Amino acid sequence: MGTDMAALPDRRKSVRNPSLDNALIRFGELSLCCVVRDITNSGAALKADVPPSSLPDQFTLIVPPSKTYSCSVVWREAGWVGVAFVA
């Protein structure tokens, strides 16, 4: 059963840009595939190939071809992870 993103509460502080970009979550020596569902100037909603509870509170998000973000998890819900981009 898929999760409908419309069912998640809207916690964004800036305008979202819908996306379905493939990306990598990187922490330590591990890289995990994910999909970037929504992205703003301050954060993103991600769906990873692992349960959200297994992701660390901080990691690097790599969005090909050339975007890299330091991320801090702000919420975990229904298979999704919300992150804030850290300067």
Side-chain angles (χ1 to χ4, degrees):
M1 294 170 96
T3 300
D4 183 6
M5 279 299 294
L8 295 177
D10 189 352
R11 297 182 178 128
R12 292 176 290 266
K13 293 180 182 176
S14 56
V15 176
R16 72 180 174 143
N17 296 305
S19 171
L20 285 175
D21 292 330
N22 290 317
L24 291 175
I25 293 172
R26 180 129 176 111
F27 54 96
E29 296 298 316
L30 297 174
S31 293
L32 303 171
C33 293
C34 72
V35 173
V36 179
R37 178 64 174 105
D38 290 318
I39 192 165
T40 69
N41 290 334
S42 59
L46 312 173
K47 183 158 184 81
D49 291 340
V50 299
S53 61
S54 67
L55 295 174
D57 291 336
Q58 297 183 342
F59 55 80
T60 300
L61 178 66
I62 302 167
V63 182
S66 61
K67 300 216 183 215
T68 301
Y69 304 94
S70 294
C71 298
S72 181
V73 174
V74 292
W75 57 265
R76 301 169 198 258
E77 187 174 327
W80 293 87
V81 177
V83 298
F85 299 145
V86 180

